[in-house]
């Protein structure tokens, strides 16, 4: 597979999309941006050239099949971040995350794109009991083939996306790396995030590995930094060539002093999905 150069980045107006459209051009990618929300700034090495019809920013909904086809036309790969990123009523999740991801894969198939990187989530397995891990006593890490235990309709939709990716590989030969992202933010802001944090720089490293590794078929990986308090197994991500450089541990003393260690008796601390299992944050729109 020739190294991909032009990438469609869906969800480019969002938190992760903004971080990645800043970080990915350093790897040599030209980006085409897609989001239902307008993207004001045009920085970040977007592609206005061949195949892009001069439209390097596409403001459209994942429900708009024609806009999606036009957006994927001529790109080498798609990084699919767009969708509802919190819990929401099932009808909204159905439209944006389930039908929207189906529409994206259909556009990819129709336009002959060969590689997708899908933003899955730890919430696809959110009801998995978290390992009792501490820096002194690391627990057994959760493998990617652990049974799906979604903690929300949101997590359910990520399991759907992973299975859709599997189907499109087996049926149509379209390769996908599904990344069960932990929490990708500039810094960890909670004790839970010490275990699931992915630094933006490691996020870009992982996307680059997922875009360039040979023969991925459909591969599921967890997305996080090399955290001392890691809960899950990064071996399938490392097999793609991902070498995380960051660890949340330097943030641990201040966060633990402010919030305390995770209390196993607290239901919010019992599962990988944290408070999504008991009191999920609701998508505001
Ligand atoms: N940020 C994280 O730590 C994290 C963790 C796990 C999974 N993820 C996944 O990564 C992706 C990006 O996360 P984020 O934190 O940037 O979320 P976000 O909510 O900040 O961004 C999502 C973007 O998708 C766009 N979008 C939503 N519905 C759309 C539709 N129907 N058509 C077109 N665009 C639509 C929104 O406008 C938004 O800009 C999401 O799929 C999320 O589920 C993120």
């Amino acid at each position: 597979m020739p190294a991909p150069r032009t990438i469609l980045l869906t969800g480019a107006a969002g938190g992760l999309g903004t971080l990645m459209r800043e970080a990915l051009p350093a790897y040599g990618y030209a980006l085409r941006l897609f989001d239902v929300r307008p993207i004001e700034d045009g920085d970040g090495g977007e592609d206005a050239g061949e195949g892009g019809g001069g439209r390097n920013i596409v403001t459209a909904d994942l429900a708009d099949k024609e806009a999606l086809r036009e957006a994927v036309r001529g790109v080498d790969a798609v990084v699919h971040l767009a969708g509802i990123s919190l819990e929401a009523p099932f009808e909204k999740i159905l439209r944006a995350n389930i039908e929207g991801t189906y529409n994206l894969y259909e556009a990819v198939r129709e336009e002959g794109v060969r590689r997708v990187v899908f933003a899955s989530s730890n919430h696809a397995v959110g009801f998995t009991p978290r390992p009792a891990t501490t820096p002194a006593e690391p627990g057994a890490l959760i493998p990617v083939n652990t049974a799906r235990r979604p903690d929300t309709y949101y997590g359910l939709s990520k399991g759907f996306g992973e299975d859709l990716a599997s189907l499109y590989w087996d049926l149509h030969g379209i390769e996908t790396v599904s990344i069960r992202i932990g929490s990708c933010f500039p810094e960890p802001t909670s004790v839970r995030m010490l275990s699931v944090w992915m630094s933006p720089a490691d996020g870009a490293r992982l996307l680059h590995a997922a875009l360039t590794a040979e023969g991925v078929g459909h591969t599921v990986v967890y997305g996080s930094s090399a955290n001392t308090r890691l809960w899950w197994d990064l071996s399938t991500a490392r097999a793609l060539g991902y070498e995380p450089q960051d660890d949340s541990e330097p943030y641990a003393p201040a966060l633990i002093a402010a919030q305390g260690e995770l209390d196993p008796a607290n239901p919010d601390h019992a599962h990988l999905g944290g408070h999504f299992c008991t009191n999920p944050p609701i998508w505001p729109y």
Side-chain angles (χ1 to χ4, degrees), residues 14-16 35-37 61-62 81 83 85 154 158 182-184 283:
L16 189 53
D35 204 293
V36 71
R37 291 191 292 163
D61 196 289
L62 290 168
L81 306 180
S85 57
Y154 163 67
K158 295 301 185 181
S183 293
C184 188
W283 179 255

Side-chain angles (χ1 to χ4, degrees), residues 9 12-13 17-26 29-33 39-48 56-57:
L9 182 69
T18 299
L19 291 169
M20 292 303 109
R21 74 183 142 100
E22 288 166 3
L24 284 176
Y29 298 113
L31 303 180
R32 196 176 298 167
L33 309 177
I39 297 166
E40 303 298 338
D41 52 336
D43 64 348
E46 295 89 345
D47 162 50
N56 56 3
I57 298 178

Side-chain angles (χ1 to χ4, degrees), residues 3-10 12 24-25 27-34 45-47 56 71-72 74-80 113 115-117 207-208 210-212:
R5 193 192 78 82
T6 304
I7 306 295
L8 178 72
L9 182 69
T10 75
L24 284 176
Y27 288 85
Y29 298 113
L31 303 180
R32 196 176 298 167
L33 309 177
F34 183 102
E46 295 89 345
D47 162 50
N56 56 3
V72 303
V75 301
D76 300 320
V78 176
V79 174
H80 182 43
V113 179
R115 175 70 62 94
V116 177
V117 179
L207 285 185
H208 180 55
L211 286 164
T212 53

Side-chain angles (χ1 to χ4, degrees), residues 20 27-28 30 38 56 63 71 75 82 102 104 152 168 220 238 254 283:
M20 292 303 109
Y27 288 85
N56 56 3
V75 301
Y102 165 75
L104 184 274
T152 42
Y168 273 61
V220 180
R238 289 183 187 276
W283 179 255

Side-chain angles (χ1 to χ4, degrees), residues 104-118:
L104 184 274
Y105 271 86
E106 274 296 278
V108 159
R109 184 187 63 76
E110 288 168 339
E111 294 297 331
V113 179
R114 309 306 299 165
R115 175 70 62 94
V116 177
V117 179
F118 170 59

